[in-house]
Amino acid sequence: AAATEAEVRLLLQEARESIEAARSYRRELQQRLRGLHQAREQIKDSATLTRDVLEQHFSDLKGTLKKLLDERLTSLLQEVDVIEQESIKPLDECQKLIEHGVSTADDLLREGESAVDGDVGQQNEKLCNFTKKALHIQLDSLPEVPSLVDVPCLSAQLDDCLLTILKNQIFRHGTVASRPPVQLEEFVEKPGGILVRWCKVDDDFVPQDYRLQYRKSSASPFEDVYVGSETEFMVLHIDPHVDYQFRVCARGDGRQEWSPWSVPQSGRTTLVPHEWTTGLEGYSLSSRRNIALRNDSQSCGVLYSKAPTYFCGQTLTFRQVLFGIETVGQPDRRDSLGVCVEQRNGDDSLQRDKAVCISTNGAVFVNGKEMTNQLPAVTSGSTVTFDMEVVQLGPCSNEGGNFKLRVTISSNNREVVFDWVLDQCCGSLYFGCSFSYPGWKVLVF
């Protein structure tokens, strides 16, 4: 009996496991059915859209060709009218001259016949008058009439090879692709933005430019956000926790037309945008508070971020913070930009403890101490990148701290890497900047 109960319990356990496996198997199959349904709908929808595009394009093309042919026909007919009028005009003038001569000759004939057949008493006078009149008219002078070979003979020269050229061009015009040559590859969350990456999937396609579009909802139209040769782009001004649709296409080398669009994909960011703190007298901010301009105020201090939005996530990797320097003012040795553990009023520079920064002359400071390694000076158009990751947690008595970050600072294609040891665990950091003179304009994203 005991053996039987054990066998029953074992069978029940195996049955429950089989049931759970069957449920999991069913879920997987249902998910694959949904995938097949989506694939089928994508094929049908894209085929319908392609038909509509082809029909509209060729309808427009036929209308345009008819309009061009009608315009050319009108132009040629106008040329015929002009040549006809210009060629007939001298003939009309010659005809009037001849008709006038015929009329004059008729009058002279009637007068001569009357003089010859008139009375003997008046004959002598009439004959004298007729003779004088005949000599005055110059009966031996005749107007010249052009021969047929000397006058225009209009004709139309129509080259039948145009039909052959058009036929060959039309037969090669347009293609139908089963898949686009480029596809979206990755969406990387950034504070207030999304880094979009794409790749070429057609080995025979040689791209010259890419074109990225996005939209906030399916009801709104797509709009261009990037056109260029790069295969990634940072899309800014993205609202957190909102899905955006993206698509990309490409233009082949030496071509004018764009390729078909990639399959639209959704991307979102859960990271709030970086913002500078408002209210510091020495700085003016943009409407989105992501651009800080050092104004001409005499006040000098450190401008911090509104919140510690530069943070380390569960992957133990700090998000990058990029400082795009747009304009440059007069430099000062205290000028700097970087990240810090806390805001601290009264400081005139980030070159202090619990902060890492780079000065405008390229010097790197860690907790207020200058490193031997130096980066290029910050000039107009420079970009400075901070990247951090946690490399150690827990006690570290030899180095005086228990929290170590691996810091990479890049500027103008050069970088320095070092460990930043802190005596406290920091889940997030502030960023900041300090400039002594007006003219500096810093974009943070």
Side-chain angles (χ1 to χ4, degrees), residues 89-103 143:
K89 184 178 179 180
L91 298 182
D92 290 341
E93 294 175 353
C94 183
Q95 180 177 343
K96 291 179 181 179
L97 184 60
I98 292 174
E99 289 176 347
H100 178 71
V102 170
S103 177

Side-chain angles (χ1 to χ4, degrees), residues 318-374:
F318 275 86
R319 304 279 180 183
Q320 289 185 351
V321 177
L322 303 178
F323 298 90
I325 310 303
E326 296 187 357
T327 59
V328 174
Q330 181 181 352
D332 185 275
R333 59 179 300 273
R334 296 169 299 172
D335 294 345
S336 53
L337 43 86
V339 295
C340 56
V341 174
E342 59 189 5
Q343 294 180 340
R344 202 164 71 184
N345 298 326
D347 292 328
D348 61 356
S349 175
L350 277 175
Q351 299 169 15
R352 60 170 176 82
D353 62 334
K354 295 185 179 181
V356 293
C357 63
I358 176 176
S359 66
T360 53
N361 63 7
V364 178
F365 290 84
V366 182
N367 292 330
K369 297 181 180 180
E370 184 175 355
M371 296 182 61
T372 56
N373 294 335
Q374 185 162 336

